[in-house]
Amino acid sequence: MGAGKGTIVDYLVKEKGFTHFSVRVYLLEEIRKRELPENRDSMVIVANDLRKSNSPSFITDQFYKQSIQHSQNAIIESIRTPGEAESLKAKGEFYLFAVDADPRIRYERIKLRNSETDQIDFNTFIANEKREMTATDPNKQNLKKCREMADFLFVNNGSIKELNKKVEAVLNKIESD
């Protein structure tokens, strides 16, 4: 939360022409259908329910099916379970990016962003993160394991310009490999 996923997405979409698929938008649509409150708890409940009812990679698999219809690069934001990452890696050319930053910096960023899931105090922010960090249930978030599975980790304690330079360097590395 607040690490810079959206900033990386913006860069890839605007500067590199990527197609963007947002798990957050997908879940918010599902939450509205179910007439649940639009908050982080509902997002976690709905995501876990969809995974449990279908497969641990259900949401990202839906996006993958859509993305192969495009002839351009795509980004799926945000992968939160090892099953999602494993499924996408098994499908072919796929790179998992992880982004992190100091918790206080991330909290200040979400307060500025002020989305429907960001209206929380710092203790709730940390509790939410802890809840999503490690899970043994394959249908639940395990951000720590996803980060460990990442092909590239961006530490984003600086400016947007600095983060964009890091992304550009990784894209150059991918293209040269």
Side-chain angles (χ1 to χ4, degrees), residues 89 96 98 134 142-151:
K89 284 181 181 250
L96 181 61
T134 57
N142 186 335
L143 300 179
K144 181 179 180 206
K145 180 68 175 168
C146 289
R147 192 165 91 182
E148 291 168 2
M149 295 173 70
D151 299 295

Side-chain angles (χ1 to χ4, degrees), residues 19-90:
T19 301
H20 175 217
F21 298 95
S22 171
V23 173
R24 178 188 193 92
V25 169
Y26 183 93
L27 291 174
L28 285 171
E29 289 171 4
E30 187 65 27
I31 287 166
R32 290 175 189 127
K33 286 180 197 172
R34 296 180 186 198
E35 299 179 351
L36 296 170
E38 291 183 26
N39 59 37
R40 187 160 203 89
D41 289 339
S42 293
M43 291 182 86
V44 169
I45 290 165
V46 169
N48 292 348
D49 180 60
L50 287 169
R51 291 183 193 108
K52 184 178 179 182
S53 300
N54 298 282
S55 76
S57 61
F58 175 75
I59 299 166
T60 56
D61 286 346
Q62 301 310 302
F63 288 145
Y64 177 79
K65 289 175 192 172
Q66 292 175 40
S67 73
I68 60 174
Q69 297 172 1
H70 299 275
S71 61
Q72 60 200 47
N73 291 322
I75 184 164
I76 299 173
E77 175 201 19
S78 65
I79 294 166
R80 295 187 171 270
T81 71
E84 292 169 336
E86 290 164 357
S87 177
L88 290 167
K89 284 181 181 250

Side-chain angles (χ1 to χ4, degrees), residues 89-157:
K89 284 181 181 250
K91 289 175 175 32
E93 191 173 358
F94 167 78
Y95 299 95
L96 181 61
F97 290 2
V99 61
D100 200 2
D102 176 89
R104 283 281 175 195
I105 292 171
R106 290 186 294 107
Y107 180 71
E108 291 306 317
R109 288 176 182 158
I110 72 155
K111 294 308 291 178
L112 289 171
R113 181 175 62 194
N114 199 31
S115 75
E116 58 278 329
T117 59
D118 293 335
Q119 298 164 16
I120 55 176
D121 62 36
F122 184 72
N123 290 334
T124 303
F125 174 82
I126 295 298
N128 285 344
E129 182 173 84
K130 186 176 181 181
R131 172 185 68 192
E132 297 175 27
M133 197 55 70
T134 57
T136 55
D137 183 335
N139 300 306
K140 293 185 177 178
Q141 291 81 351
N142 186 335
L143 300 179
K144 181 179 180 206
K145 180 68 175 168
C146 289
R147 192 165 91 182
E148 291 168 2
M149 295 173 70
D151 299 295
F152 300 97
L153 172 63
F154 300 95
V155 177
N156 181 28
N157 290 325

